[in-house]
Amino acid sequence: MKFLVTGAAGFIGFYTCLRLLERGDEVVGIDNLNGYYDPALKKARLVNLGGRPGFSFLHLDIAERSAMAEVFRVQRFDKVIHLAAQAGVRYAMHNPHAYIDSNIVGTQNVLEGCRHNDVQHLVMASSSSVYGANTKMPFSEHDNVDHPVSLYAATKKANELAAHSYAHLYRLPITALRFFTVYGPWGRPDMAYFSFTKKILAGEPIEIFNGGDHARDFTYIDDIVEGVLRTADKIAAPDPNWDSNAPDPATSDAPYRVYNIGNNKPVALMDFVAAIEKATGREAKKTFLPMQPGDVAKTFADIDDLVRDVGFRPSTSLDDGIARFVAWYRSYYGV
């Protein structure tokens, strides 16, 4: 199969490209290599992809309409895995237009490219952040998600809505994946586990928000990518039991599906810090601070649909995942 992977130099995109190439697929990667975090890390990921048979890279912004249309017209992809986005919850409070340009305009360009070029299946990244003000646990794809508490979450919800309209109007099969706090080697420096590790190894204090009263469904990168590939291989189809009198947000009479991909085992933030302390062999100096705007206290993924439909359940333990990350971090940064 010939795949387009947007955000190919990003954390999840990098691993997705690797897995597709390992199984023999052809991959065209797109990324704009923006400066939201150190572009050197993105370029290092691309170095690991470069030279592998079947991989090619285009330095391109998905918000560029004409350029994206030309890529789709010339390349003729079988399937598309759309992972490119402006990430981060708090960054949106200072740079909202970056989220509209990348997450809204960029995703629209991807939808149009798929629509006009006979793409068999579009798999697109959503986020656990869409659950917003919801407090019913675990978070289920079948629940309403109309109360985002960050602009990032709002753009991801908007992406899901636009995707459903394309699935309905053009019968374009689309699967939206809600990722839950992804971590692992080659991860994003803006994520807490990355900065915690950096500061603990440097003997600097780490910032613990909401007094440490947080829990996250931390999901190891290998588990996320396994879920991405399995859902990409299972082309979304209409739900024959979908009822317009009681509409299910996770399915449709159009070829559209929504899945959570999470570890299904929330971990208290202080236990997460303890796992990093164990892996580094050092005790963290801690500064406790109030809750940050746009943040949520807990995430917890209901993955019953993922298990039922593609036969996959994330299984990497937190201790194993953090140990692998810390080993990579020490090696990559030489500390």
Side-chain angles (χ1 to χ4, degrees):
M1 304 291 285
K2 185 174 184 179
F3 280 82
L4 168 65
V5 178
T6 70
F11 178 30
I12 302 173
F14 164 63
Y15 277 95
T16 299
C17 290
L18 282 177
R19 285 289 308 279
L20 289 170
L21 294 168
E22 286 170 358
R23 72 181 202 177
D25 292 305
E26 180 181 355
V27 179
V28 176
I30 287 179
D31 205 291
N32 67 355
L33 300 175
N34 70 28
Y36 171 65
Y37 63 80
D38 186 5
L41 182 58
K42 300 177 182 181
K43 292 175 182 177
R45 295 181 187 130
L46 288 177
V47 168
N48 274 268
L49 290 170
R52 293 175 184 263
F55 180 73
S56 58
F57 177 71
L58 299 173
H59 187 182
L60 178 65
D61 193 323
I62 60 169
E64 297 177 16
R65 184 193 303 181
S66 60
M68 285 293 289
E70 181 70 2
V71 168
F72 272 93
R73 185 186 67 80
V74 171
Q75 296 283 353
R76 309 298 298 180
F77 304 109
D78 295 307
K79 295 181 180 180
V80 174
I81 299 178
H82 174 40
L83 303 171
Q86 177 57 61
V89 170
R90 285 164 293 282
Y91 186 69
M93 297 179 67
H94 309 289
N95 297 276
H97 292 291
Y99 291 77
I100 302 303
D101 292 343
S102 182
N103 301 6
I104 302 297
V105 176
T107 297
Q108 178 64 29
N109 290 338
V110 171
L111 288 168
E112 278 290 281
C114 293
R115 168 198 171 191
H116 289 293
N117 294 280
D118 301 318
V119 168
Q120 297 174 22
H121 191 196
L122 167 61
V123 175
M124 53 185 286
S126 187
S127 168
S128 62
S129 67
V130 301
Y131 290 103
N134 289 22
T135 55
K136 174 177 167 283
M137 297 287 172
F139 291 149
S140 171
E141 307 97 324
H142 303 282
D143 293 337
N144 178 284
V145 288
D146 285 344
H147 296 87
V149 295
S150 69
L151 179 61
Y152 171 71
T155 63
K156 287 297 187 179
K157 170 62 175 174
N159 289 165
E160 292 182 4
L161 292 172
H164 182 268
S165 72
Y166 269 66
H168 174 77
L169 291 169
Y170 310 114
R171 312 315 289 179
L172 170 65
I174 302 177
T175 299
L177 303 177
R178 295 174 179 169
F179 299 144
F180 281 69
T181 316
V182 191
Y183 75 100
W186 294 99
R188 281 171 35 199
D190 62 309
M191 297 293 285
Y193 71 93
F194 203 112
S195 63
F196 286 174
T197 300
K198 178 181 179 180
K199 290 180 178 180
I200 289 171
L201 289 173
E204 299 173 0
I206 62 173
E207 295 179 336
I208 305 290
F209 292 96
N210 198 37
D213 188 17
H214 275 301
R216 289 287 181 271
D217 210 343
F218 295 102
T219 314
Y220 190 66
I221 183 62
D222 289 357
D223 290 330
I224 288 286
V225 174
E226 182 66 25
V228 170
L229 267 59
R230 291 206 189 195
T231 53
D233 290 340
K234 182 179 177 61
I235 296 177
D239 179 357
N241 299 314
W242 195 80
D243 182 0
S244 60
N245 290 315
D248 177 1
T251 67
S252 177
D253 59 354
Y256 173 82
R257 291 305 306 261
V258 177
Y259 294 107
N260 290 332
I261 304 183
N263 204 41
N264 193 230
K265 296 176 182 176
V267 174
L269 179 59
M270 299 311 296
D271 291 338
F272 189 66
V273 171
I276 299 174
E277 291 175 322
K278 177 182 177 182
T280 58
R282 303 187 186 185
E283 185 176 352
K285 301 174 183 176
K286 305 174 185 72
T287 301
F288 291 90
L289 299 169
M291 176 87 99
Q292 297 183 95
D295 209 349
V296 296
K298 183 178 181 180
T299 65
F300 180 6
D302 179 335
I303 58 170
D304 288 351
D305 286 9
L306 183 74
V307 174
R308 181 195 67 218
D309 291 350
V310 301
F312 176 65
R313 178 185 297 276
S315 60
T316 306
S317 72
L318 180 68
D319 283 345
D320 285 348
I322 288 296
R324 293 177 204 173
F325 169 74
V326 171
W328 168 83
Y329 184 93
R330 286 182 179 277
S331 174
Y332 184 80
Y333 289 102
V335 294

